[in-house]
Amino acid sequence: MERTLSIIKPDAVERNITGKVNSMIEDAGLRIIAQKRIHMTAAQAEEFYAEHKDKAFFTSLVDFMTSAPVVVQVLEAEDAVARYRKIMGATNPAVAEEGTIRKTFALSIDKNTVHGSDSPESAKREVSFFFSEIEIFE
Ligand code: IDP
Ligand code: MG
């Protein structure tokens, strides 16, 4: 079993569709083994997205991720990282596959509804960024 870190982003929380996103997660065979609603600070968002700090979109990404509450989650499945990336769909919803979360719900390349870790190594870092082991129940 593998874990991945998911974030339901402000655009989805504001539209009150976190349950619809969770249904798609569960229908794909991923189990939500931890979940909480938080409002990220700028410092948290900057540290979480540090790999993107030199990108043109970094400031707008941090502004967006701190604009409203998000739901952070730990998902578990066999090959959870790849399985979640597949059902998330491409970063840009305009080119995401039919039936993916981003194709279904995302508003734009920045307001794209969900985050998912991009490798097992990232997943370990990202899960422990938001959760302590005593908050996760398998
Ligand atoms: P990912 O979320 O599909 O892994 P990344 O390249 O890691 O995509 O980018 C992180 C986030 O930054 C994206 O989900 C999106 O919200 C935002 N982002 C990425 N590329 C752009 C862009 O070209 N313009 C605006 N925002 C972007
Ligand atoms: Mg990424």
Side-chain angles (χ1 to χ4, degrees), residues 51-52 85 115-116 118:
E51 65 173 307
H52 295 304
R85 293 293 302 195
H115 167 87
D118 63 7

Coordinates of all heavy atoms in Angstrom, one line a residue, residues 51-52 85 115-116 118, ligand 2:
E51 N 9.5 24.2 -4.8 CA 10.1 23.7 -6.1 C 9.7 24.7 -7.2 O 10.4 24.7 -8.3 CB 9.6 22.3 -6.4 CG 8.1 22.2 -6.7 CD 7.7 20.8 -7.2 OE1 8.2 20.3 -8.2 OE2 6.7 20.2 -6.6
H52 N 8.6 25.4 -7.1 CA 8.2 26.3 -8.1 C 8.6 27.8 -7.9 O 8.1 28.7 -8.6 CB 6.6 26.3 -8.3 CG 6.1 24.9 -8.7 ND1 6.6 24.3 -9.9 CD2 5.2 24.1 -8.1 CE1 5.9 23.2 -10.0 NE2 5.2 23.0 -9.0
R85 N -2.8 10.7 -9.7 CA -2.4 11.6 -10.8 C -3.3 11.3 -12.1 O -3.6 12.2 -12.8 CB -0.9 11.4 -11.2 CG 0.1 11.9 -10.1 CD 0.1 13.4 -9.9 NE 0.4 14.2 -11.1 CZ 0.7 15.5 -11.0 NH1 0.9 16.1 -9.8 NH2 0.9 16.2 -12.1
H115 N -4.7 19.1 -6.0 CA -3.2 18.9 -6.0 C -3.0 17.4 -5.7 O -3.7 16.8 -4.8 CB -2.5 19.7 -4.9 CG -1.1 19.2 -4.7 ND1 0.0 19.7 -5.4 CD2 -0.6 18.3 -3.8 CE1 1.1 19.0 -5.0 NE2 0.8 18.2 -4.0
G116 N -2.0 16.8 -6.3 CA -1.6 15.4 -5.9 C -0.1 15.3 -6.0 O 0.5 15.9 -7.0
D118 N 3.6 14.2 -6.9 CA 4.0 13.7 -8.2 C 5.0 12.5 -8.2 O 5.4 12.0 -9.2 CB 4.6 14.9 -9.0 CG 5.9 15.5 -8.4 OD1 6.4 14.9 -7.4 OD2 6.4 16.5 -8.9
Ligands
MG2 MG 3.1 19.3 -9.0

